[in-house]
Amino acid sequence: MRVIRKYANRRLYDTEQSRYVTLEDLRKLILEDAAFRVEDAKSGEDITRTILLSIIIEQEQADGESEVFSNDLLAQLIRVYDMSSPLPLARYLEQGTQLMLTQQKRMQDQWQKAIRHSPMEFMRELAEENMRFWQNTINKDDNAPGVDTRKKKNDEADS
């Protein structure tokens, strides 16, 4: 497992890549499903949860439109900590979030199947369909009763 060390100066050091990293770098690792552990450089204490919470806070502050935690929800979470026998909230949230992510992935897969092609592919198919329609329409008009196709062909040959 990749080890990230947090120093007293608040800097994070990736021991695998031998370089300092930011919370944004760690967020990218999470999105890539890369496992890591953050430890205090002096004590060796596992502080991964604290860093993950910092990433969430940074994310919440960075993009005001996609806030996940409303003030009411945060207040309710704080109340859970004060309960005499706390609810198994962590397990519920983990399972609920996993279910939501799985369903979102399934929906995205279904949309991809429904769309099947890129917008350019779709436009190409429409253009081909339009060409076939007009070619069939023109060919039908050439073969329509009362249309002398021999005269038209002779006129084309003279041109």
Side-chain angles (χ1 to χ4, degrees):
M1 177 178 293
R2 185 180 231 159
V3 175
I4 309 295
R5 290 202 177 103
K6 183 174 185 260
Y7 289 92
N9 63 3
R10 302 183 72 160
R11 294 190 74 183
L12 299 163
Y13 186 77
D14 184 341
T15 59
E16 186 176 296
Q17 293 188 340
S18 300
R19 70 179 186 95
Y20 286 100
V21 293
T22 64
L23 290 177
E24 178 61 21
D25 294 326
L26 295 181
R27 187 183 79 79
K28 288 176 183 174
L29 288 176
I30 293 166
L31 295 176
E32 296 167 1
D33 284 329
F36 64 88
R37 176 182 190 270
V38 182
E39 60 184 39
D40 183 271
K42 188 174 182 181
S43 69
E45 176 189 1
D46 184 355
I47 57 171
T48 306
R49 286 183 42 170
T50 303
I51 297 301
L52 294 175
L53 286 168
S54 297
I55 292 169
I56 290 171
I57 290 168
E58 193 172 269
Q59 191 77 29
E60 286 281 315
Q61 292 173 342
D63 191 4
E65 291 183 17
S66 64
E67 290 178 352
V68 174
F69 298 103
S70 67
N71 290 342
D72 289 339
L73 176 59
L74 291 170
Q76 290 171 6
L77 289 172
I78 291 168
R79 287 186 198 103
V80 167
Y81 284 98
D82 197 42
M83 295 174 75
S84 57
S85 64
L87 301 169
L89 188 61
R91 184 170 173 230
Y92 174 77
L93 287 174
E94 285 173 11
Q95 290 176 347
T97 303
Q98 186 58 46
L99 176 64
M100 180 191 68
L101 291 172
T102 301
Q103 289 177 343
Q104 181 182 18
K105 175 82 170 106
R106 282 184 53 206
M107 286 296 291
Q108 288 172 343
D109 291 345
Q110 290 298 320
W111 275 109
Q112 289 299 322
K113 288 178 185 175
I115 293 173
R116 286 190 352 238
H117 301 294
S118 69
M120 291 305 292
E121 179 69 15
F122 178 69
M123 293 302 290
R124 185 189 62 76
E125 287 178 3
L126 280 179
E128 287 176 358
E129 190 176 312
N130 285 340
M131 287 297 291
R132 282 192 300 273
F133 170 80
W134 287 111
Q135 286 171 345
N136 289 340
T137 301
I138 290 170
N139 288 340
K140 283 181 185 174
D141 285 345
D142 284 348
N143 297 328
V147 175
D148 187 0
T149 56
R150 288 174 290 165
K151 181 178 187 259
K152 183 177 180 183
K153 287 180 183 171
N154 287 338
D155 290 343
E156 289 173 0
D158 292 340
S159 308

